[in-house]
Amino acid sequence: NSLIAGVDLRSQENNREHRTEEIDRKRLIVRRGQAFSLTVHLSDPLQSGHELALVLKQGKQLKRTAGGSGDKWWLHQQSARNELLLTVYSPARAAVGEYRLAVELMSGNKLLERTDFTKMYLLFNPWCKEDAVYFPDERLLKEYIMNENGRIFTGSANSMSGFPWNFGQFEDNVMDICFEILDRFNPASSDPPNDMLQRWDPVYLSRAVVAMVNANDNDGGVLVGKWQEPYTGGVQPTKWMSSVPILEKWSKSKSGVKYAQCWVFAAVACTVMRCLGIPTRCITNFASAHDTDGNLSIDREYNMHGQLVNDDDSIWNFHCWIESYMQREDLPEGYGGWQVLDPTPQERSSGMFRCGPCPLKAIKEGDLNVKFDAPFIFAEVNADIINWEIGQDGQKKRLSSNSANVGRNISTKSPYGNEREDITLQYKYQEGSAKEREVYNKAGRRISGPVGEEESKPGNVQLEIKHAKPVFGTDFDVIFELENMGDKEVSCELNMMSEAVTYNSVHLGRFQNSTVNVVIPAHKVHRETVRLLYTKYASVVSEHNIIRVTGVARMSVECTPIYIPNLSFLQVPGWVILHRKITTVITFTNPLPVPLNRGVFTVEGAGLLPTKEIRISGSIAPGQRVSVELSFTPMRAGVREFLVDFDSDRLQDVKGVATLVVHKTPPSYFPMMPNIFG
C-alpha cells in the first residue's frame, strides 16, 4: 500500500513566479537558480526515520537531491499532516533542457517507493545574479526576454525603415522545438555526455543555436538561405513575418525550411535565444562589409570606362545579426555583456557555418584575437572602401578611398517602443575621430593592405548623388552634382549607371546608362539630371526594390532604395476580449499605374491567431480599393500585434501592423466607435 498518494507540481504558481506562464500553465517550466515548490500528498503522516528525496533524470544522467546548499540541487521540506511542501533549489549552473522528475520515499539508504517520472523543463535565468546570463537592468528584460513583438530595420543607410516581426517565443510548441534544435546539434548526437556537460553554458549553447539556424552543414538546420530568385519550392524570404511557422514547419518536416535571408536567420535565432532565457536583440548594420580576403578593406576595381569589373568583397545595403547578453568565463575579465552572434551562413567558424559569440567590446577596441570570429565582424562595421582603376595593361591605380562609409546607423528596436535605437557607438568610436583610426590601425597591424598609387585628383572634382525619397510605381529624378574645387576649369567624362541589385549587392542588370562630357568652371557646380522610369526598373528590381545608382567621374557610389507603400489600414471593432470572437476588416488600395493580379493577404499574430491566407479573386485596377473581413478568437491577453502581408504579381511584401489590447473581461461600457489602426 503506497504512502505517496500523489505529487502536485504546482505548475501554475511556479510558472507565474518563474515568468514562464506565457509558455504553458499545465507543464512545469522553471528557471535555474530560483526555487520552486511541489506538494506531496501522503496517505498517512510520515514516520520518523522516513524521508523524501527527489530524483532528476536528464538524458541518461541521474541526480538525487538531499538537503544542503551551494552549487548542487537541494531540497527543503515542510510538513503539514498528510501533505509535504518540498522547496527545490536548482543551481544557477544547471544544464538547461528537459528533465524527468520523481519523488522517492527513503528509509536510511533503503528505497521504499518511487513515483512515476514526470517531465519538467529548466531554462536560463537572467533575473538571477548567479546565472551567467544575468542582466543587470531588470526593466529591459521586458524587451530582451519577454517581448514577442519586434521591429527589424532594413533599407539603406540613407533610408531606413522598420517592419514588424512576430518572434512568438511563448507560442505553443516553440519551447519544445527549441530543445529539439539543441538535440539535433551534431555534438549532441555524436557525443551526448559531453554535450550534456556543456548545456549549462550560454557560450556553448549560443554557438549551437547559430550553427543550427542555418541548414548549411547538412546538419538538419532550420533554414535554407537563398539570395536571388527564383524561390521555387519555398517561400520568398521577404514574405515571412514570424518565426513561428518557420519553426513549426522545420519540426514537422525535419528538413531545412526554404528560404531565408539575413533578417530571417537573425529573427529565428532571436526567438530561440529569448525562449531559452538568454537576453537577445536583433541588430541591423547598414552598409555592411563582407570582406572575403580578410584584409579589412573592400576593394572595388573599375575599368577605364568606369564599369565595375570586380567586387568579390561586397557592401551589403544592410546585414542583420543578433546580440545576446552573457558572461564570458572563457575569456579574460571585461569581455562579458553583449555578444555578437550571426546565424547567416557566410564563412565557417571551427568548421561550421556560424559566427560568434564575439564581445561587442572586442569589436570596439579592435581586439581581433578574442574569440570567436572577431576579424570578420570587425570588418563588417569598420572596413575601408578602396576604389581602383585597372588600366589596359592590367596595372592597378588607386582612385580613392573612404573610411567612413561602412558600418553606419547600427540599429536595434528600442526597449521603450517601436522606434529605432542607434547603437553605432557601442561598436566603434566616432567615425573620423583619432581614436577610431587608432583602433583601425591596431586591428590592421595583423593585416597588410594592397599596394597601389593613389592618383592625384585631376582638378579635384567632387561628385555627389542626390534624390528625393522615391515611391515604387513612380518615375523619379536622380541628380549628379559635380563640384570643381580647384582654381582651373576642368573637363571630364561622367558615366552615370543605374542597375538593380539585391540587398547584399548581387547585380541583377543595368537598365539606364548614359555618358556625358562636361566642362566645369573653377569653383563651380555642374548638375546632370537623370529620370529613372518605372517602366524600366519595375521588371529588373529584386523583391527589396533596391536600385544602385553609380556616378564615375572621380569615384562615387550610392545606393538608392525605392520604398513600397504600406498597407492602408486595419479596422478592429470596439473592445477585444480574451476567448471571444472578433471581426476585423483589412483594406488595401493599389498604388501602381498597372493592375494587380493574384492578390493574397497573409495574416498572423502571437496570441491572436495562427498564420492564415485570404485570396482575392480577379484583378485590382490602378487606384482600386479592396476590403476583406476576417474573424478570429484571441488566445492570450495583453498587448498583441496583428501582422498583415499583401502579395500580388507586381507588388509583393506590403506589410501592415495593428496593435490590439486583449482584455481578460469586458469593460463596464462599450465604446460606440470602432478603433482604426494605421
Side-chain angles (χ1 to χ4, degrees):
N1 171 6
S2 107
L3 182 69
I4 304 175
V7 178
D8 178 3
L9 297 180
R10 301 171 63 110
S11 300
Q12 209 163 334
E13 299 94 311
N14 284 321
N15 291 8
R16 188 175 308 128
E17 292 277 307
H18 286 251
R19 301 174 176 87
T20 60
E21 65 175 345
E22 288 263 342
I23 304 178
D24 205 327
R25 294 181 188 187
K26 297 190 175 61
R27 299 186 288 171
L28 179 60
I29 304 166
V30 291
R31 297 185 186 277
R32 65 188 193 176
Q34 182 179 339
F36 61 94
S37 53
L38 315 171
T39 311
V40 180
H41 299 282
L42 305 172
S43 52
D44 288 304
L46 215 54
Q47 296 171 21
S48 69
H50 286 187
E51 60 174 25
L52 295 183
L54 199 64
V55 190
L56 294 162
K57 257 187 191 176
Q58 194 188 26
K60 294 197 162 59
Q61 280 185 312
L62 205 64
K63 295 184 177 72
R64 201 173 251 104
T65 66
S69 69
D71 58 355
K72 296 189 173 56
W73 290 82
W74 60 281
L75 273 187
H76 176 69
Q77 306 185 10
Q78 275 172 299
S79 57
R81 301 182 59 190
N82 289 8
E83 275 188 357
L84 269 181
L85 186 68
L86 297 187
T87 306
V88 186
Y89 296 85
S90 63
R93 292 170 73 98
V96 299
E98 180 185 299
Y99 285 78
R100 285 175 309 149
L101 164 155
V103 176
E104 292 183 335
L105 177 64
M106 307 290 289
S107 171
N109 286 336
K110 188 168 170 234
L111 173 63
L112 300 178
E113 63 178 278
R114 177 197 283 171
T115 63
D116 290 339
F117 277 97
T118 175
K119 284 183 179 174
M120 168 194 120
Y121 303 85
L122 193 69
L123 302 176
F124 286 99
N125 192 351
W127 287 271
C128 166
K129 279 196 169 62
E130 287 73 49
D131 197 310
V133 301
Y134 171 67
F135 195 86
D137 187 343
E138 191 174 306
R139 292 167 308 175
L140 298 185
L141 291 174
K142 280 194 176 68
E143 176 70 26
Y144 300 138
I145 290 286
M146 304 304 290
N147 198 352
E148 293 182 274
N149 304 319
R151 288 290 178 280
I152 294 175
F153 294 90
T154 59
S156 77
N158 317 329
S159 187
M160 299 171 278
S161 70
F163 69 88
W165 189 273
N166 165 19
F167 293 117
Q169 65 268 30
F170 303 133
E171 290 282 81
D172 291 352
N173 309 324
V174 169
M175 179 189 71
D176 303 86
I177 297 170
C178 292
F179 290 141
E180 205 182 321
I181 288 170
L182 298 179
D183 289 340
R184 298 203 48 193
F185 180 49
N186 213 332
S189 46
S190 61
D191 186 357
N194 186 36
D195 175 69
M196 277 297 166
L197 275 178
Q198 299 193 73
R199 284 217 181 171
W200 71 271
D201 179 8
V203 175
Y204 174 79
L205 279 193
S206 62
R207 229 161 137 62
V209 169
V210 292
M212 283 300 296
V213 164
N214 68 71
N216 275 51
D217 297 299
N218 294 326
D219 51 7
V222 177
L223 280 159
V224 177
K226 193 167 196 298
W227 277 263
Q228 261 179 293
E229 296 178 308
Y231 297 111
T232 38
V235 173
Q236 179 167 304
T238 43
K239 195 168 161 49
W240 299 113
M241 299 184 285
S242 164
S243 307
V244 182
I246 293 171
L247 290 167
E248 288 177 340
K249 197 169 180 179
W250 173 78
S251 177
K252 283 194 186 79
S253 69
K254 297 292 180 280
S255 64
V257 176
K258 298 172 176 173
Y259 291 101
Q261 288 170 11
C262 68
W263 69 95
V264 186
F265 288 115
V268 169
C270 183
T271 296
V272 176
M273 299 295 271
R274 282 185 184 179
C275 184
L276 293 173
I278 302 175
T280 300
R281 57 191 188 180
C282 276
I283 307 297
T284 304
N285 177 36
F286 289 96
S288 187
H290 185 167
D291 176 20
T292 50
D293 54 7
N295 67 351
L296 293 196
S297 70
I298 296 298
D299 300 296
R300 286 181 166 154
E301 296 174 1
Y302 292 82
N303 64 18
M304 307 290 284
H305 306 294
Q307 291 166 324
L308 194 59
V309 288
N310 173 21
D311 64 343
D312 289 343
D313 287 351
S314 54
I315 306 276
W316 293 26
N317 258 18
F318 63 89
H319 180 48
C320 299
W321 55 71
I322 59 170
E323 285 172 10
S324 292
Y325 200 92
M326 64 188 76
Q327 293 316 308
R328 291 295 300 266
E329 293 181 20
D330 56 328
L331 295 177
E333 190 74 28
Y335 286 113
W338 287 116
Q339 310 286 320
V340 175
L341 286 150
D342 190 349
T344 298
Q346 296 184 90
E347 305 286 330
R348 282 195 161 85
S349 173
S350 314
M352 289 184 209
F353 277 101
R354 56 181 171 184
C355 181
C358 175
L360 207 45
K361 184 183 176 207
I363 303 302
K364 184 161 181 172
E365 301 299 338
D367 300 338
L368 301 199
N369 52 347
V370 173
K371 61 187 187 193
F372 294 88
D373 311 303
F376 185 76
I377 299 163
F378 183 86
E380 287 182 304
V381 297
N382 279 306
D384 283 1
I385 301 172
I386 303 177
N387 295 308
W388 305 87
E389 185 177 87
I390 308 292
Q392 264 140 353
D393 52 1
Q395 284 293 311
K396 267 186 171 186
K397 201 163 61 182
R398 182 163 159 159
L399 288 164
S400 64
S401 62
N402 185 323
S403 62
N405 258 355
V406 161
R408 292 162 65 192
N409 303 336
I410 304 174
S411 305
T412 188
K413 175 188 169 305
S414 161
Y416 307 110
N418 290 326
E419 300 71 50
R420 186 181 77 85
E421 182 182 335
D422 193 298
I423 55 170
T424 311
L425 292 176
Q426 295 182 28
Y427 277 82
K428 52 188 181 179
Y429 289 96
Q430 192 71 49
E431 203 65 81
S433 67
K435 185 74 183 161
E436 184 258 343
R437 281 290 94 187
E438 182 195 313
V439 167
Y440 182 83
N441 293 329
K442 167 184 162 188
R445 272 204 300 268
R446 314 177 359 171
I447 294 156
S448 58
V451 187
E453 298 303 307
E454 181 140 10
E455 257 305 71
S456 59
K457 301 177 178 83
N460 202 357
V461 172
Q462 283 200 353
L463 168 61
E464 218 184 318
I465 300 177
K466 296 180 173 175
H467 60 89
K469 205 167 190 176
V471 173
F472 192 77
T474 60
D475 300 345
F476 62 96
D477 289 342
V478 176
I479 298 158
F480 296 80
E481 278 192 3
L482 291 159
E483 185 174 2
N484 180 357
M485 316 291 279
D487 300 326
K488 294 198 176 102
E489 177 180 277
V490 170
S491 54
C492 65
E493 186 180 73
L494 168 65
N495 287 304
M496 297 170 289
M497 287 159 287
S498 310
E499 58 189 331
V501 292
T502 60
Y503 85 96
N504 61 332
S505 227
V506 176
H507 306 264
L508 298 174
R510 297 186 172 184
F511 60 91
Q512 277 177 257
N513 301 321
S514 52
T515 302
V516 289
N517 288 308
V518 294
V519 176
I520 318 160
H523 302 292
K524 287 280 188 276
V525 174
H526 176 87
R527 291 184 183 84
E528 287 287 334
T529 302
V530 173
R531 171 151 284 206
L532 298 187
L533 306 174
Y534 171 72
T535 50
K536 292 269 174 58
Y537 68 72
S539 57
V540 284
V541 291
S542 73
E543 63 274 20
H544 295 281
N545 295 332
I546 294 166
I547 287 170
R548 177 151 73 201
V549 178
T550 311
V552 181
R554 251 188 72 237
M555 206 52 55
S556 177
V557 180
E558 186 179 334
C559 277
T560 306
I562 300 175
Y563 271 127
I564 284 182
N566 257 340
L567 264 182
S568 315
F569 62 83
L570 213 56
Q571 238 179 325
V572 182
W575 205 265
V576 182
I577 317 287
L578 187 63
H579 305 313
R580 188 176 292 183
K581 189 161 129 181
I582 62 159
T583 302
T584 55
V585 180
I586 304 162
T587 311
F588 171 76
T589 304
N590 177 5
L592 297 190
V594 291
L596 302 177
N597 296 302
R598 299 194 295 283
V600 57
F601 289 107
T602 308
V603 296
E604 65 184 284
L608 293 174
L609 75 167
T611 312
K612 193 176 167 120
E613 285 196 349
I614 308 160
R615 299 191 175 278
I616 293 160
S617 56
S619 89
I620 309 167
Q624 185 188 340
R625 173 176 154 158
V626 289
S627 295
V628 295
E629 272 198 0
L630 169 72
S631 299
F632 61 89
T633 305
M635 302 172 284
R636 288 191 278 137
V639 178
R640 302 277 157 208
E641 287 198 329
F642 182 84
L643 310 186
V644 184
D645 169 275
F646 174 79
D647 288 295
S648 64
D649 56 346
R650 298 192 175 196
L651 187 61
Q652 278 100 32
D653 311 307
V654 183
K655 309 277 190 222
V657 59
T659 304
L660 310 185
V661 180
V662 180
H663 298 270
K664 287 188 173 153
T665 52
S668 49
Y669 67 94
F670 265 83
M672 298 306 292
M673 281 297 292
N675 300 324
I676 295 177
F677 298 91

